Amino acid sequence: MNAPALHTPPRVPLLPDRPVAFLWHYVCARPWHFGGLLLLIVGAATCAVAVQYGMKLLVDAMAQGSANRGAADVWFPLGLFIGLIVVENIFWRLGGWLGCRTVVASVVDIRVDLFKHLTGHPMRYFTEHFAGSLGNRISALGAAAGAIYGGLAWKIVPPIVDFIGAVVVLLTVDWRMAVALVLFVAIVATLITGFGIRGRAKHQRFAAQSARVGGELVDAVSNVWTIKAFSARDREAERLANEIGYEAKAQRRSWMYLEKARVIHDICLSLMAGGMLVWAISLWLDGSVTAGDVVLVSALTFRILHGSRDLALALVDATQQIGAIDDTLRIILQPHGLDDPETQLMLAEGDITFDDISFGYPKRGMVFEHLNLHIPAGQKVGVVGPSGAGKSTLIHLLQRLDDVQAGRILIDGQDVRSVSQNSLREKIAVVPQETALFNRTVRENIRYGRPDATDGEVEEAARHAFCDAFIRELPQGYETLVGERGVMLSGGQRQRLGIARAFLKDAPILILDEATSALDTQSEGEIQAALNNLVHNRTVVAVAHRLSTLAGFDRIIVLRNGLIIEDGAPMELRSRGGAFDALWKMQAEGFKHEADPAL
């Protein structure tokens, strides 16, 4: 059979991989929410500017009626002033309510979407990155996105509205003041923005080192037993101190750059505020403006002073956050190494064919070259061989945890690359060498094999896996939390729960990867009896070092250096006196010594 030309999967990520486009993607997902929030914030900020104009009217009315206080028409300006304050506060509170719902919901979407994209990477991706670092990056990106959305709503938009409103209002006082304000703010904004952009590299280095430290910390905590066993607390603390030291150095550079931006801004805006106020008083002395105009210019100038400080800091902070987002997107939103078509796998029998496949890991050389293997539907095949022979790689390729570089893997004549990964893995049950459990209840961990299973079906699967008895002895039975990675259970108990999952999934193809390796002799016998029922009428591929577990299988494949050196029924291979027979005798001799230490 000739292998077709390899299909090159598209290299386009599912989400925008540039920070601004990425953030805008989630704004477009909730246009009415963000649009309503913008209108409320603009309305509130406009009212805030109008309040200053109301104050001008009130002061002018009081000045005009100073000679005859009874004739002063102050009630309308006062009512307008108070009314604008009330409306402003209503807009702010409504904006806070809508902003809370919108920003929090968007951050939830961001973190979930990043997780979905992350889990679409092939397994080799996860061997190149710390799990803790990846998790920290997703959390940090969510926090950064929330900070940018919140900063945009409450620290960037209001000062901009203040500025536009101030220009409009100052046109009623003296058009030269309005022009001067525009020019001065434009100069300051250009200076601060350029300063912030030049500092992005510092912020990115800090974000990258922070994520690395998080990964190192999680890695150390996950291996705390090893640290204790090898008396390595001081060594690990020193190693972590070095990493945190690099992070602190990067953080100081990022922080001090921000402080420099603040100093530049404060000097510029102080000069502007003082200059505008002196100018307004000079015009008042000349009789060109009223006392209310002076109060208006003073109030608006200092409002712009404080608002622009928030704006400048928010822009610099946004630059810093965008640097962190860019670093995370660069790592997580790498294009998936595996294409994932929407076509569903139509499984009829479970016939498996490895058709002239070749595969190798980067920087580790080839594992398989032109390997051919056919496993008829319903056949039980054991795969044995020394470490590094390619046993685990073979079953990983069958699950499409990675793709072959040449050739094809067919299930019932369908190339596994032409069907969706989920539809493929739904048809395969796996009992791994080390069962991975979540920090959830026993029932939830077993039900992971089939989420829609009833409680009765979960307990029936547990009985088939001979774990119902020990589960009922746990403090809360099936509702007992198993701890992180199942630490509350023994290795054998965890393995039995993994077998119960496979019973519950009831898939037509079964992969056993050292399924009894963590069990004692008595438990192994019980589980072997359960596995004999489990493998009935299924296509089974079992990797095992304990050859006795494969004695009842239809066929044994012996791998060495990625090649099939023997293939046949167990008794046939033993009669040949080849590699399988040598392995069998070696294990049998070992069992004799275990049974009788005097030998």
Side-chain angles (χ1 to χ4, degrees):
M1 215 181 290
N2 295 325
L6 285 179
H7 168 65
T8 302
R11 299 297 181 187
V12 180
L14 298 177
L15 296 169
D17 58 0
R18 304 306 304 167
V20 174
F22 179 84
L23 294 170
W24 180 248
H25 172 80
Y26 290 94
V27 172
C28 294
R30 287 184 170 81
W32 293 107
H33 291 76
F34 279 101
L37 176 60
L38 179 62
L39 288 177
L40 288 170
I41 297 300
V42 169
T46 302
C47 287
V49 175
V51 164
Q52 313 305 320
Y53 192 76
M55 175 63 74
K56 162 196 157 47
L57 296 178
L58 182 59
V59 171
D60 283 344
M62 293 173 66
Q64 290 172 4
S66 59
N68 184 2
R69 294 184 182 178
D73 185 12
V74 297
W75 299 114
F76 173 74
L78 179 61
L80 178 63
F81 178 74
I82 294 175
L84 287 170
I85 291 176
V86 172
V87 173
E88 177 192 356
N89 286 328
I90 291 174
F91 280 167
W92 281 126
R93 299 293 70 78
L94 289 174
W97 171 79
L98 182 59
C100 172
R101 296 174 62 87
T102 304
V103 172
V104 170
S106 297
V107 170
V108 169
D109 290 347
I110 286 172
R111 295 171 72 177
V112 171
D113 289 348
L114 285 175
F115 173 78
K116 287 181 179 179
H117 189 94
L118 179 66
T119 53
H121 287 298
M123 289 305 297
R124 65 174 178 270
Y125 172 90
F126 297 94
T127 64
E128 298 169 357
H129 299 90
F130 280 123
S133 175
L134 294 173
N136 286 340
R137 285 179 183 277
I138 291 178
S139 296
L141 190 147
I148 289 177
Y149 288 140
L152 182 66
W154 287 283
K155 295 181 180 180
I156 295 178
V157 171
I160 292 175
V161 175
D162 285 347
F163 169 68
I164 295 173
V167 171
V168 172
V169 172
L170 286 177
L171 286 172
T172 66
V173 178
D174 190 318
W175 67 269
R176 294 172 299 174
M177 283 189 171
V179 172
L181 180 65
V182 170
L183 292 176
F184 202 92
V185 171
I187 292 171
V188 174
T190 302
L191 187 63
I192 295 297
T193 302
F195 196 78
I197 292 174
R198 287 197 300 274
R200 182 179 296 180
K202 292 181 173 62
H203 309 321
Q204 287 178 330
R205 282 195 292 271
F206 168 51
Q209 185 60 25
S210 180
R212 176 177 173 79
V213 168
E216 290 276 3
L217 186 58
V218 171
D219 187 51
V221 173
S222 300
N223 291 283
V224 67
W225 179 88
T226 306
I227 292 173
K228 288 178 176 292
F230 288 90
S231 304
R233 289 176 60 197
D234 292 339
R235 276 185 288 150
E236 289 300 322
E238 183 178 353
R239 174 187 174 86
L240 189 61
N242 289 334
E243 292 294 337
I244 292 177
Y246 292 133
E247 179 194 20
K249 185 176 181 180
Q251 183 179 18
R252 282 193 296 269
R253 289 177 175 173
S254 176
W255 190 333
M256 290 310 298
Y257 200 85
L258 183 63
E259 289 299 323
K260 292 177 182 177
R262 288 172 174 167
V263 169
I264 294 173
H265 171 270
D266 289 347
I267 292 173
C268 292
L269 268 296
S270 296
L271 291 173
M272 183 201 79
M276 293 290 285
L277 185 55
V278 169
W279 191 358
I281 292 175
S282 298
L283 292 175
W284 176 76
L285 290 172
D286 292 339
S288 302
V289 298
T290 66
D293 290 330
V294 175
V295 171
L296 178 64
V297 171
S298 175
L300 286 178
T301 300
F302 281 96
R303 182 173 181 83
I304 291 174
L305 173 63
H306 292 290
S308 62
R309 180 182 292 116
D310 292 339
L311 174 61
L313 296 179
L315 289 174
V316 175
D317 182 63
T319 301
Q320 187 174 18
Q321 301 290 2
I322 286 176
I325 290 175
D326 187 42
D327 179 69
T328 294
L329 295 182
R330 180 175 52 82
I331 298 297
I332 292 182
L333 288 191
Q334 294 178 16
H336 289 154
L338 303 180
D339 192 10
D340 196 17
E342 295 182 1
T343 305
Q344 301 294 297
L345 174 64
M346 306 301 293
L347 186 65
E349 298 176 339
D351 183 273
I352 301 171
T353 301
F354 294 86
D355 178 21
D356 195 34
I357 68 165
S358 296
F359 176 80
Y361 294 104
K363 302 178 182 179
R364 290 168 51 187
M366 298 300 292
V367 178
F368 298 119
E369 292 189 81
H370 306 292
L371 177 76
N372 289 281
L373 174 63
H374 178 231
I375 302 175
Q379 190 174 71
K380 296 181 283 295
V381 176
V383 182
V384 302
S387 297
K391 304 185 297 297
S392 295
T393 300
L394 191 72
I395 60 177
H396 285 176
L397 292 174
L398 178 58
Q399 299 171 75
R400 206 179 172 224
L401 299 178
D402 221 323
D403 269 345
V404 296
Q405 277 121 27
R408 302 179 298 171
I409 298 177
L410 306 174
I411 294 182
D412 286 340
Q414 301 162 82
D415 192 327
V416 297
R417 293 171 297 185
S418 67
V419 300
S420 75
Q421 297 178 46
N422 280 342
S423 70
L424 168 66
R425 292 164 192 156
E426 283 172 358
K427 307 299 191 298
I428 301 174
V430 183
V431 182
Q433 184 173 3
E434 302 229 357
T435 297
L437 299 179
F438 296 94
N439 185 22
R440 303 171 192 173
T441 66
V442 170
R443 190 183 303 278
E444 288 177 294
N445 273 287
I446 296 176
R447 187 176 274 134
Y448 211 76
R450 183 156 56 90
D452 59 348
T454 65
D455 288 350
E457 290 171 326
V458 170
E459 292 168 14
E460 180 68 17
R463 283 191 288 273
H464 281 303
F466 294 93
C467 56
D468 179 73
F470 88 74
I471 291 173
R472 296 188 183 279
E473 293 175 357
L474 295 173
Q476 283 82 42
Y478 280 86
E479 306 308 318
T480 303
L481 289 172
V482 302
E484 186 178 3
R485 296 186 300 170
V487 295
M488 304 300 292
L489 304 176
S490 69
Q493 290 172 333
R494 291 196 296 270
Q495 199 75 337
R496 293 186 193 203
L497 293 187
I499 294 172
R501 276 182 185 169
F503 270 108
L504 187 64
K505 189 170 185 180
D506 194 25
I509 296 176
L510 176 65
I511 293 176
L512 304 175
D513 186 3
E514 297 289 350
T516 61
S517 64
L519 304 174
D520 54 47
T521 304
Q522 179 181 351
S523 298
E524 181 184 356
E526 295 174 343
I527 295 301
Q528 193 60 51
L531 289 175
N532 289 338
N533 295 329
L534 178 62
V535 301
H536 188 60
N537 291 331
R538 288 179 173 80
T539 304
V540 181
V541 180
V543 172
H545 285 296
R546 294 188 182 182
L547 303 185
S548 58
T549 63
L550 306 176
F553 275 46
D554 302 318
R555 181 179 172 196
I556 301 295
I557 303 295
V558 182
L559 284 176
R560 180 181 294 164
N561 297 327
L563 301 173
I564 298 175
I565 60 172
E566 289 189 346
D567 182 357
M571 294 306 297
E572 176 189 346
L573 295 185
R574 287 186 61 189
S575 66
R576 290 182 187 174
F580 181 75
D581 183 56
L583 290 172
W584 185 280
K585 290 178 179 178
M586 186 183 304
Q587 287 198 6
E589 188 67 23
F591 291 145
K592 288 181 181 179
H593 280 284
E594 289 179 9
D596 186 358
L599 290 176

